[in-house]
Amino acid sequence: MTAPAEADTAAQPGNRTATRRAAGSRDGEDPGDGGRGGRRGERRLLRRERRARWDVRLAPYLFVSPFFLVFAVVGMFPLAYTGYLSLHDWDRLAYTRGGFIGLDNFRWVLDDPLFTKSLVNTLSIFAMSSIPQVVIAVTVAALLDQQLRGSTFWRISVLLPFVVAPTAAVLIFGTLFSDRSGLVNELLSSVGLDPIRWHVERWWSHAAISSMVNWRWTGYNALIFLAAMQAVPREVYESASLDGAGRVRQLLHITLPMIRPTMIFVIVTTTIGGLQIFTEPRLFDDTAQREGGADHQYMTMTLYVYVKGIEDQFYGRASAAAWLLFLFIISIVLVNYAATRWLTRRRAL
Amino acid sequence: MTRRPGALVYGLLAAFVVGSALPLYWSFMIGSHTRERALDTPPPLLPGGHFLDNAGRVLNTIDFWQAMFNSLVVSTVCATSVVVFSTLAGYSFAKLRFRGSGPLMGFVVMTMAVPTQLAIVPLFILMRDYRLLDTLAAVALPTLVTAFGVFFMRQYLFDAVPDELIEAARMDGCSMLRTFWTVAVPAARPAMAILFLFTFMQVWTDYMWPLVALQKTETLQIALDRLALTGQGQSTDYALLLAGTAMATVPLLVLFVLTGRQLVTGIMQGALKG
């Protein structure tokens, strides 16, 4: 880069106009190839300056517009369309939209006992997955946040399950949790316990599904926590341990409050993901309908939307259910956000 | 205190890693035994010699190679498109000043919170109306751009490209597009690689949307789904099923071994700034 001396003074950050003028004046001193000065050169100069000005003004919009154009078509439009559909009747036979029926679809969904059941299932699976997940992830991060030999090896190993597709994970865990011959049940009976019917009993099925989710995401979250923990100054720990605070106390009273923004970030993202679980209950089901168990004992809300919308083709009702799911997610996110803020507030040692 | 961690720390970490690897080990193990042996009690805990037989049966049951090819195409297209669009927009948001950039970026961040599943019904209808159902285009379309990508690139480019460098390029008479190409893109390369990797994995492992958009065509996850359905009802053929999952998991495992370091860096970086 060979910027002329005069330009150096103009190139202050945030001084765009000066820069442009400087660039222009440089062109003035050194007319473009073939420019003979005089009126023609001046006009060309003007044109070039105008082009540069438009370039500066338009380029940002040109750079962001491809994203927004595609996003509008494949992201925003379907969302708006969901809202539109949720307020209309739908003729399944003629495959046409019926009349405007206001909030009837919402009323129908809220009255559907299956929807309520799927809501409870979703909450239950979410609680069983996210709480242990975050607790174990923080613990693993605290273990990793030390002067380990081969730290890169440990970090990569912890991430291993993340590359396994949920589909593959359910199939693998499905065989482990098989009701008759599964490894888990064999271990249980080998220590004298009764085998558990993982695919049949409601809360146990939730536990099995949660274990797959936890398996895949705990290490990933641990790395996010680790990143935040490494930013905590080491001197803080030194003075704390001089004061006689043990490892656990340090974690609870220093680390957690100091990585608060990350706690909030992870808990919010885990909440959003955990409330949308679909693949696991769909594939864990070994009945023919695959609607979350013979008695829908582990049907989640996303599965409900899928079954009502894609399989049964009740587009209006499914869209209403989708919006209810969204509102549900938002409210749980807000609750968890508040809870995390409260839990990680600064406490005296 | 810079105490060296003791055996307990290594022990706990090792236990966690073994727990992470065990289900995968199990699938490779059962996948390498005969159908009958896989049902034994206690189950075989060492590899058997029948993996190739089982793999052959997988290839007979589902169109594995076609599914793999389809997944590869869709994942590559989506990852490339997300990287291109996100780098352009992310650079603009991070480094250029323009009217409305604040609200627009706020909008992008907000949409990150909206679950994609919310739109499966209308997306399905749209694909049907435009006769795209059962094509790979239908699978790829919704993931051609992601709000996360723009957010990620913006965060990265904020620090990665010094303003002075942009000014200098402008001074040399570079157009905005050329400045982007010669200054921003080289600086953004590491983040572009990570975003590519992430999007690729996200599309590769997705099950729900292909399930909605496809009927006869298969991605790898849909093919696995079909494989699981074949033995349903009677005694499930675990050897076949787990050989299939092993075969479907190997490509990403290879990618993981090659890029594990970058993945870890990416996750930790993204989190620091998120």
Side-chain angles (χ1 to χ4, degrees), chain B residues 1 3 28 72 81 84 105 113 117 122 125 152 173 176 192 214 223 251 253 255 272:
Chain B
M1 291 298 271
R3 264 184 298 167
F28 284 105
L72 196 66
S81 138
V84 170
M105 192 61 217
Q117 279 96 329
I125 297 178
F152 181 78
M176 295 295 266
M192 287 164 85
L214 296 180
L253 275 183
L255 191 69
L272 259 182

Side-chain angles (χ1 to χ4, degrees), chain B residues 12-25:
Chain B
L12 286 173
L13 275 177
F16 185 82
V17 169
V18 168
S20 303
L22 215 51
L24 276 180
Y25 178 79

Side-chain angles (χ1 to χ4, degrees), chain A residues 35-349:
Chain A
R36 265 172 249 126
R39 193 166 287 168
R40 234 177 58 188
E42 224 167 79
R43 207 177 297 148
R44 175 182 304 203
L45 193 64
L46 255 165
R47 214 170 37 230
R48 187 181 288 189
E49 199 177 334
R50 198 174 303 145
R51 202 174 341 140
R53 198 158 54 224
W54 277 109
D55 188 28
V56 169
R57 204 176 288 169
L58 276 183
Y61 294 106
L62 287 178
F63 290 176
V64 297
S65 55
F67 167 79
F68 280 103
L69 283 177
V70 183
F71 194 63
V73 175
V74 302
M76 292 319 294
F77 177 63
L79 274 184
Y81 201 18
T82 316
Y84 177 82
L85 282 175
S86 68
L87 301 174
H88 286 81
D89 202 7
W90 187 271
D91 186 338
R92 284 202 298 161
L93 295 179
Y95 195 73
T96 48
R97 181 175 53 76
F100 178 83
I101 52 167
L103 295 177
D104 272 8
N105 284 323
F106 288 90
R107 209 166 297 141
W108 191 91
V109 168
L110 286 172
D111 280 344
D112 186 3
L114 197 55
F115 182 77
T116 322
K117 193 169 192 179
S118 74
L119 192 145
V120 174
N121 290 343
T122 306
L123 260 184
S124 160
I125 293 174
F126 162 69
M128 288 191 203
S129 59
S130 58
I131 296 168
Q133 198 183 117
V134 170
V135 171
I136 298 174
V138 166
T139 313
V140 171
L143 293 174
L144 287 171
D145 187 27
Q146 304 185 53
Q147 301 200 302
L148 292 172
R149 266 175 231 283
S151 59
T152 313
F153 165 78
W154 292 111
R155 287 176 194 179
I156 296 177
S157 308
V158 155
L159 195 61
L160 177 67
F162 180 64
V163 299
V164 179
T167 321
V170 196
L171 296 182
I172 296 171
F173 276 73
T175 67
L176 291 173
F177 283 109
S178 164
D179 290 4
R180 253 172 292 166
S181 58
L183 188 64
V184 180
N185 271 349
E186 274 172 30
L187 288 176
L188 285 179
S189 41
S190 73
V191 292
L193 293 170
D194 283 336
I196 292 167
R197 296 163 78 205
W198 298 100
H199 287 72
V200 178
E201 284 171 47
R202 191 174 185 191
W203 310 110
W204 284 120
S205 68
H206 296 183
I209 289 172
S210 304
S211 71
M212 309 166 197
V213 180
N214 289 336
W215 178 69
R216 187 156 188 263
W217 288 101
T218 306
Y220 181 89
N221 285 329
L223 287 179
I224 297 184
F225 283 130
L226 173 64
M229 286 181 185
Q230 297 209 315
V232 177
R234 302 289 121 166
E235 301 83 59
V236 185
Y237 294 120
E238 277 178 42
S239 58
S241 60
L242 283 179
D243 289 345
R247 281 277 160 89
V248 177
R249 268 176 80 90
Q250 289 183 25
L251 180 69
L252 290 179
H253 293 275
I254 299 172
T255 315
L256 291 192
M258 288 193 84
I259 62 166
R260 187 184 193 186
T262 307
M263 290 294 291
I264 292 173
F265 172 80
V266 169
I267 288 180
V268 165
T269 50
T270 308
T271 307
I272 294 174
L275 292 172
Q276 296 181 58
I277 287 172
F278 172 81
T279 310
E280 288 84 356
R282 170 90 184 167
L283 276 162
F284 187 63
D285 193 350
D286 51 7
T287 65
Q289 295 82 16
R290 302 209 298 166
E291 294 182 358
D295 194 28
H296 302 109
Q297 67 270 33
Y298 47 91
M299 178 189 229
T300 55
M301 289 171 83
T302 316
L303 190 51
Y304 180 90
V305 172
Y306 175 82
V307 168
K308 289 293 159 198
I310 307 299
E311 284 183 350
D312 298 347
Q313 303 198 348
F314 285 115
Y315 295 132
R317 292 170 188 175
S319 302
W323 274 103
L324 289 171
L325 168 64
F326 178 54
L327 292 178
F328 180 67
I329 291 177
I330 295 286
S331 46
I332 302 284
V333 163
L334 289 177
V335 169
N336 281 352
Y337 175 76
T340 316
R341 281 182 63 99
W342 184 77
L343 279 172
T344 56
R345 73 195 187 283
R346 238 171 208 301
R347 276 170 290 195
L349 263 174

